[in-house]
Amino acid sequence: MIDQTALLESQTLRSSVLDRTDVLDRVKALSLLPDGMHVTTAMVAAYFEVSRKAIESLVLDHREELVTNGYRVLAGTELTSFKEVSGFQSRSRSLALYPRRAVLNVAMLLRDSEVARQVRVYLLDMEYLARTQPVDNPVHKESECLDDRIDQRITHILGKTVVPMFNALIETSGEHRKELIALRAGVQRIERRLHQHHARLQRLEGVRDDRPAVGVMAAMDAMNGRTFERHIAKLLIRDGCTNVVVQGGHGDRGVDIIGLTADGRRLVVQCKRFAPYLNITSPDIQKFVGSAKVLYSADVALYVATCPFTPEALSIAAEAGITAVHRGVLEEWSAGEPLRILE
């Protein structure tokens, strides 16, 4: 099995597993730009929970390798065209873009990130599983199952055959008793490690209740504003709301969606599809309070955003009776968890 250290130090080994970009979402949902294909330096830093400077320093040291895997910097007319096509808004004169393959490349180079370490562990375990999985035999395919993995067969042989053989040899041997005991201990260590590895693979392959549905936020991050509003409207209808109308756009008076809750309360919603590294601030909430409470006399007011809220914004929302649906709550809501305020 490939060792993490070797993976960090060998570009050849890294290249051999770069197609397994799905492991990124298995460890943690990767938010994408509106084009649905790329992320920025700030988004990479947010995913790996490190500073932007750490990512920029890594790019400086491994730029050639990252460029090979899709990393590029846009400027001038190329950047203007990208903004027009993708809908991405930025005042910067240049923009570094990473496709998923380059993000996985970063995960295999970034040493001081727990998220990157988890990606490498998951990646190597899946690679080991792929290499040791028995080749399908059409004749016996129906009888083959998870218990047929090569590591489990070896574990069985070691425990049921090799160790007892050593026990018998030790009992009858005098001259080489010490060496045989040492060899038996080594075999037993291998047996224990294989058991541990099998348990680890079962945890990785099993359903993780604490891990959000893969791609939930990535899909929303790829939406444009109007599509995002319709998505929120569908969630409201799913949770029993009626008379739901999407009215976002010019002349919406600060409210994107109106409707009634299942028990007849007047509902208004503001939707903001912002990049995950931005924040909803107190002026944003204050503006919505006026629209929701004064213009619409709402009983239930939701401020739904794909990014976090500042502490001050959350405080004002709580005082004014606004329900702040930040990125974490939105992910759970979209994945099937009902929004309590609507019940």
Side-chain angles (χ1 to χ4, degrees), residues 280-287 310 312-314 316:
I280 299 300
T281 62
S282 55
D284 298 323
I285 298 297
Q286 290 169 9
K287 181 180 177 181
T310 64
E312 186 179 5
L314 289 173
I316 292 174

mmCIF file of all heavy atoms in Angstrom, residues 280-287 310 312-314 316:
data_model
loop_
_atom_site.group_PDB
_atom_site.id
_atom_site.type_symbol
_atom_site.label_atom_id
_atom_site.label_comp_id
_atom_site.label_asym_id
_atom_site.label_seq_id
_atom_site.Cartn_x
_atom_site.Cartn_y
_atom_site.Cartn_z
ATOM 1 N N ILE A 280 -22.875 37.482 5.156
ATOM 2 C CA ILE A 280 -24.034 38.362 5.238
ATOM 3 C C ILE A 280 -23.779 39.282 6.433
ATOM 4 O O ILE A 280 -23.531 38.809 7.544
ATOM 5 C CB ILE A 280 -25.335 37.571 5.446
ATOM 6 C CG1 ILE A 280 -25.570 36.613 4.276
ATOM 7 C CG2 ILE A 280 -26.513 38.521 5.612
ATOM 8 C CD1 ILE A 280 -25.683 37.281 2.928
ATOM 9 N N THR A 281 -23.846 40.587 6.220
ATOM 10 C CA THR A 281 -23.501 41.557 7.261
ATOM 11 C C THR A 281 -24.752 42.180 7.870
ATOM 12 O O THR A 281 -25.878 41.989 7.380
ATOM 13 C CB THR A 281 -22.600 42.654 6.686
ATOM 14 O OG1 THR A 281 -23.321 43.337 5.656
ATOM 15 C CG2 THR A 281 -21.324 42.050 6.085
ATOM 16 N N SER A 282 -24.554 42.965 8.927
ATOM 17 C CA SER A 282 -25.687 43.594 9.616
ATOM 18 C C SER A 282 -26.495 44.531 8.713
ATOM 19 O O SER A 282 -27.732 44.527 8.793
ATOM 20 C CB SER A 282 -25.196 44.323 10.870
ATOM 21 O OG SER A 282 -24.181 45.244 10.560
ATOM 22 N N PRO A 283 -25.869 45.354 7.822
ATOM 23 C CA PRO A 283 -26.689 46.197 6.935
ATOM 24 C C PRO A 283 -27.613 45.373 6.040
ATOM 25 O O PRO A 283 -28.731 45.808 5.731
ATOM 26 C CB PRO A 283 -25.639 46.952 6.108
ATOM 27 C CG PRO A 283 -24.429 46.999 6.984
ATOM 28 C CD PRO A 283 -24.422 45.682 7.684
ATOM 29 N N ASP A 284 -27.156 44.183 5.602
ATOM 30 C CA ASP A 284 -28.004 43.314 4.786
ATOM 31 C C ASP A 284 -29.262 42.920 5.552
ATOM 32 O O ASP A 284 -30.378 42.950 5.006
ATOM 33 C CB ASP A 284 -27.240 42.041 4.378
ATOM 34 C CG ASP A 284 -26.026 42.326 3.520
ATOM 35 O OD1 ASP A 284 -26.101 43.236 2.683
ATOM 36 O OD2 ASP A 284 -25.002 41.640 3.695
ATOM 37 N N ILE A 285 -29.079 42.525 6.808
ATOM 38 C CA ILE A 285 -30.214 42.110 7.639
ATOM 39 C C ILE A 285 -31.129 43.295 7.931
ATOM 40 O O ILE A 285 -32.365 43.178 7.881
ATOM 41 C CB ILE A 285 -29.720 41.473 8.954
ATOM 42 C CG1 ILE A 285 -28.901 40.206 8.670
ATOM 43 C CG2 ILE A 285 -30.895 41.141 9.872
ATOM 44 C CD1 ILE A 285 -29.688 39.105 8.004
ATOM 45 N N GLN A 286 -30.549 44.449 8.260
ATOM 46 C CA GLN A 286 -31.348 45.627 8.580
ATOM 47 C C GLN A 286 -32.251 46.012 7.414
ATOM 48 O O GLN A 286 -33.419 46.379 7.599
ATOM 49 C CB GLN A 286 -30.426 46.786 8.950
ATOM 50 C CG GLN A 286 -29.721 46.588 10.288
ATOM 51 C CD GLN A 286 -28.611 47.603 10.515
ATOM 52 O OE1 GLN A 286 -28.464 48.558 9.766
ATOM 53 N NE2 GLN A 286 -27.814 47.389 11.554
ATOM 54 N N LYS A 287 -31.719 45.941 6.207
ATOM 55 C CA LYS A 287 -32.511 46.263 5.022
ATOM 56 C C LYS A 287 -33.672 45.289 4.866
ATOM 57 O O LYS A 287 -34.803 45.683 4.548
ATOM 58 C CB LYS A 287 -31.611 46.223 3.788
ATOM 59 C CG LYS A 287 -32.324 46.576 2.492
ATOM 60 C CD LYS A 287 -31.359 46.511 1.316
ATOM 61 C CE LYS A 287 -32.077 46.805 -0.006
ATOM 62 N NZ LYS A 287 -31.143 46.726 -1.155
ATOM 63 N N THR A 310 -22.289 37.228 9.729
ATOM 64 C CA THR A 310 -21.417 37.764 10.777
ATOM 65 C C THR A 310 -22.146 37.672 12.114
ATOM 66 O O THR A 310 -23.396 37.638 12.147
ATOM 67 C CB THR A 310 -21.055 39.230 10.502
ATOM 68 O OG1 THR A 310 -22.253 40.027 10.562
ATOM 69 C CG2 THR A 310 -20.388 39.392 9.149
ATOM 70 N N GLU A 312 -22.704 39.927 14.307
ATOM 71 C CA GLU A 312 -23.600 41.069 14.463
ATOM 72 C C GLU A 312 -24.876 40.875 13.636
ATOM 73 O O GLU A 312 -25.983 41.217 14.088
ATOM 74 C CB GLU A 312 -22.887 42.355 14.050
ATOM 75 C CG GLU A 312 -23.723 43.607 14.326
ATOM 76 C CD GLU A 312 -22.985 44.886 13.936
ATOM 77 O OE1 GLU A 312 -21.882 44.776 13.369
ATOM 78 O OE2 GLU A 312 -23.528 45.973 14.203
ATOM 79 N N ALA A 313 -24.733 40.332 12.444
ATOM 80 C CA ALA A 313 -25.894 40.079 11.602
ATOM 81 C C ALA A 313 -26.826 39.060 12.252
ATOM 82 O O ALA A 313 -28.054 39.218 12.238
ATOM 83 C CB ALA A 313 -25.446 39.586 10.229
ATOM 84 N N LEU A 314 -26.261 38.018 12.841
ATOM 85 C CA LEU A 314 -27.064 37.001 13.536
ATOM 86 C C LEU A 314 -27.788 37.604 14.731
ATOM 87 O O LEU A 314 -28.946 37.271 15.013
ATOM 88 C CB LEU A 314 -26.169 35.845 13.983
ATOM 89 C CG LEU A 314 -25.627 34.930 12.875
ATOM 90 C CD1 LEU A 314 -24.623 33.944 13.450
ATOM 91 C CD2 LEU A 314 -26.765 34.190 12.189
ATOM 92 N N ILE A 316 -28.734 40.795 15.157
ATOM 93 C CA ILE A 316 -29.825 41.657 14.687
ATOM 94 C C ILE A 316 -30.986 40.803 14.179
ATOM 95 O O ILE A 316 -32.165 41.101 14.421
ATOM 96 C CB ILE A 316 -29.312 42.598 13.579
ATOM 97 C CG1 ILE A 316 -28.316 43.608 14.170
ATOM 98 C CG2 ILE A 316 -30.469 43.324 12.908
ATOM 99 C CD1 ILE A 316 -27.652 44.488 13.141
#
